[in-house]
Amino acid sequence: MNRILYVIIKYKFVFFCILCLYLLFFIKGLFFSVDQKPVKSDVIIVLSGDLGRLEKAYDLYNSGYANHIILSNSNSKLIKDEIEALMIPNNLQFIDEPNATSTYTNAEYTLAIMEKHHFTSAIVVSSNYHMDRVKLAYERALGNKKVKLVYVASEGSSIYSAHYVQ
């Protein structure tokens, strides 16, 4: 009987620890993730992967923060669906980056596009929970390049946003 009680207490402690780690991660993502104030830049970079990222980038574009938008992993069905859902006009010409397969390749390929177009500053848009990883990947990929990056987080899924109401 004592052994059974010991196992139950042990697993409660493990469960409690996992719950605490989850809550810590959740709170960190809400209050302590990278999210900087946008500044006028040459281009806005949108990383695919979650609803709301393109919407945030499009809002920044409409607010005059940049004249160009790079879509990283532009072949993503999610990106194509969101362009349609947001009713983005056809005259907005995106700069496509179709080959990224990870956060690091997002950084490598979009920085190469920036270099090709002689862009020296960018707003990088991704989900709030993803921004620490994005910043780390871009800093690693930057090396000694002289590029100014600002990281602006979207709040994740925007499925209930006014843009999506039929």
Side-chain angles (χ1 to χ4, degrees), residues 38-46 53-71 86 88-95 123 125 152:
V39 296
K40 184 94 170 113
S41 300
D42 295 328
V43 67
I44 300 166
I45 299 171
V46 184
R53 296 176 184 186
L54 180 58
E55 181 178 16
K56 181 69 172 185
Y58 188 53
D59 288 344
L60 292 167
Y61 173 85
N62 282 332
S63 297
Y65 283 103
N67 295 323
H68 307 280
I69 298 176
I70 296 174
L71 297 177
L86 291 171
I88 295 175
N90 291 336
N91 64 347
L92 175 56
Q93 297 296 313
F94 294 106
I95 301 170
I123 299 171
V125 177
V152 177

Side-chain angles (χ1 to χ4, degrees), residues 27-161:
I27 291 169
K28 183 239 173 252
L30 284 177
F31 301 107
F32 301 111
S33 65
V34 175
D35 186 15
Q36 300 171 329
K37 184 176 178 174
V39 296
K40 184 94 170 113
S41 300
D42 295 328
V43 67
I44 300 166
I45 299 171
V46 184
L47 291 107
S48 69
D50 197 4
L51 285 173
R53 296 176 184 186
L54 180 58
E55 181 178 16
K56 181 69 172 185
Y58 188 53
D59 288 344
L60 292 167
Y61 173 85
N62 282 332
S63 297
Y65 283 103
N67 295 323
H68 307 280
I69 298 176
I70 296 174
L71 297 177
S72 188
N73 192 13
S74 59
N75 286 337
S76 161
K77 181 173 176 5
L78 184 65
I79 288 270
K80 291 175 182 177
D81 290 348
E82 195 168 10
I83 288 171
E84 187 177 311
L86 291 171
M87 294 181 273
I88 295 175
N90 291 336
N91 64 347
L92 175 56
Q93 297 296 313
F94 294 106
I95 301 170
D96 290 327
E97 181 291 297
N99 300 314
T101 57
S102 68
T103 306
Y104 184 73
T105 57
N106 286 134
E108 278 187 317
Y109 299 158
T110 57
L111 289 170
I113 290 171
M114 285 183 66
E115 192 171 349
K116 176 183 171 187
H117 289 272
H118 306 289
F119 295 145
T120 59
S121 61
I123 299 171
V124 182
V125 177
S126 189
S127 300
N128 55 0
Y129 63 85
H130 189 231
M131 288 307 275
D132 293 335
R133 182 175 177 176
V134 169
K135 186 174 184 204
L136 184 64
Y138 271 87
E139 287 174 351
R140 199 171 128 215
L142 263 174
N144 59 2
K145 294 176 183 157
K146 301 289 184 210
V147 175
K148 181 172 173 36
L149 300 175
V150 174
Y151 303 92
V152 177
S154 72
E155 294 182 15
S157 179
S158 60
I159 196 82
Y160 300 110
S161 118

